[in-house]
Amino acid sequence: MPADDRDEDARRRRKRRSLDAVFGEVLPETTTDERDPDPRGDDRETWYRENRPPHHDR
């Protein structure tokens, strides 16, 4: 690999690390359908009901 290509690769890696440090990882390494399901189940609905503001009950 020519030195120019290595320099360009190193520059891209530094830029990517810098962006990740500021914005975080935009796309995860795996998607939710590739991961094991949460053993606790889907707690989003339960969390919503428990944390629902009182004025939403009317």
Side-chain angles (χ1 to χ4, degrees):
M1 177 180 282
D4 291 341
D5 289 344
R6 285 187 300 244
D7 292 341
E8 182 66 20
D9 288 343
R11 187 188 67 75
R12 285 185 184 148
R13 284 192 301 273
R14 283 193 307 271
K15 184 176 181 180
R16 183 67 194 179
R17 280 193 306 266
S18 175
L19 288 172
D20 286 348
V22 173
F23 297 108
E25 184 181 9
V26 176
L27 296 174
E29 291 293 323
T30 59
T31 58
T32 53
D33 61 330
E34 295 175 313
R35 290 182 230 137
D36 291 332
D38 188 355
R40 297 173 293 169
D42 188 10
D43 289 335
R44 287 180 287 176
E45 186 68 28
T46 304
W47 181 92
Y48 173 75
R49 285 192 194 117
E50 291 172 354
N51 293 286
R52 187 174 175 181
H55 66 275
H56 283 256
D57 291 335
R58 296 184 208 165

